[in-house]
Amino acid sequence: MIFNKGNVLFLFLFILIGTMCTVKEQYTLVLGKIPFPKDNPDSPEKRAFGKLLFFDKRLSKNNEVSCASCHQPSKAFTDGLPKSRGVRGSIAMRNAPSLLNSAYFSSYMYDGEVKTLEQQVLVPIQDHREMGSSMKEVLQKLSKDSNYKRLAKQIFQRELDAYVVTRALSTYERSLISQNSRFDQYRAGAKSILNADEIAGWKLFSEKLYCTKCHSGANFTNYQVVSNGLYSDYGIDQGRYRINGLEKEKGAFKVPSLRNVSLTAPYMHDGSIQTLREVISHYSKGGSRFPNKSSIIKPFKLNNLEINQLELFLKTLVDTSTVN
Ligand code: HEC
Ligand code: HEC
């Protein structure tokens, strides 16, 4: 093989086109390997321990609620309420998001402010409207459990402490995967699994309208924190503005995943929209007039058939294998 100019150029183009193809594949394709962090590797025992903790009400004040009270498996790890209910009947600030595929998220919470699942665990435990407790109080209770003490020793080689609780819980959360919806099967080559209306809905979503500008990739989100113009005045919850007090972040919320969206009603950060048809109507009106509203959101006209098709497509994203 001679490295003359022509050959080198050919080789270069070959590699370039090759990489472009793989990048595109990754973008559109299924989720890929679960990204377990190096300092918290996966193991079946750790997942099982995390699952026990996830369903354990002792993580809250007066043992009233567990993580699973607000993140119920049968509702794709949401709770069906506009805003979740925590200890002593208090109302949480927001709507509970699904935890499916949260292993892949680049940030957590509607503000996109929390960077790892390990860190996130502390938030609900301490929030007085959610679990209303503290890690210290939780550890005092859990340390009396001889099974938990044994598991901590066996899996982490240490006493039951905050390290153990946060690592076990986040390992369980990373195991909550949803990638077998009818739409996934369609993308994987089972072309006859969707009917003509559902495919037409996907075309509306991805080509005719602008939805994939934000709801893109394998989880139908680009993880950006933006305003979709839900309100002209966001009232008490101004979104990411509460983190840094930046005017331009008023009304900005993390783009939610749309996987299993037919199980996660009501919608938006405050659960203010009941149905998918009403969500579609919100976008078709171009949202509310709001200075920070993303310039992508513009009014559009769909006829009744097209509205149905878009809704039918959104419903193909449900993966019932994960809800049991
Ligand atoms: C009282 C109801 C409630 C309880 C209990 C609760 N959560 Fe949540 N969870 C929520 C709400 C509401 C949000 C959204 C909060 C926000 O964005 O500000 C949330 C957000 C999350 C997120 C971020 C998801 C995303 O898409 O960004 C994770 C992860 C999470 N919760 C895990 C847990 C774990 C683990 C526990 C138990 C230790 C727990 N939750 C307990 C209601 C609850
Ligand atoms: C500029 C980015 C952007 C575009 C474009 C966009 N969305 Fe959204 N979408 C968001 C954000 C941000 C939220 C959450 C807003 C909130 O909670 O206040 C959201 C929420 C949703 C929800 C509710 C999900 C849930 O679990 O609460 C649905 C459904 C949805 N969008 C569908 C669509 C459809 C259909 C289109 C195309 C017509 C679209 N979106 C276009 C940013 C966008």
Side-chain angles (χ1 to χ4, degrees), residues 9-52:
L9 185 69
F10 179 75
L11 194 71
F12 174 72
L13 281 177
F14 185 76
I15 293 171
L16 185 75
I17 291 167
T19 3
M20 276 162 60
C21 290
T22 35
V23 167
K24 189 145 181 262
E25 283 274 278
Q26 277 170 359
Y27 166 79
T28 54
L29 213 106
V30 286
L31 300 161
K33 229 173 117 217
I34 305 178
F36 286 97
K38 274 207 184 64
D39 62 0
N40 190 16
D42 185 30
S43 79
E45 295 76 20
K46 210 193 277 178
R47 286 185 189 194
F49 186 15
K51 186 174 180 181
L52 289 177

Side-chain angles (χ1 to χ4, degrees), residues 53-54 59-60 65-71 79 83-87 90 92-99 102 105 107-112 116-117 120-125 129-131 169-170 173 237 242 254 256-257 269:
L53 291 166
F54 192 82
L59 269 71
S60 67
V65 296
S66 68
C67 307
S69 307
C70 302
H71 300 287
D79 59 12
K83 292 181 183 174
S84 299
R85 222 158 286 148
V87 290
S90 49
M93 188 170 80
R94 290 175 178 161
N95 178 261
S98 172
L99 304 186
S102 54
F105 295 179
S107 67
Y108 300 94
M109 314 304 267
Y110 267 109
D111 309 302
T116 68
L117 283 170
Q120 197 281 331
V121 169
L122 295 169
V123 182
I125 291 180
R129 291 156 300 191
E130 295 191 1
M131 303 179 108
L169 265 170
S170 48
E173 291 177 280
D237 192 352
R242 80 188 185 114
K254 188 178 72 176
S257 161
H269 68 275

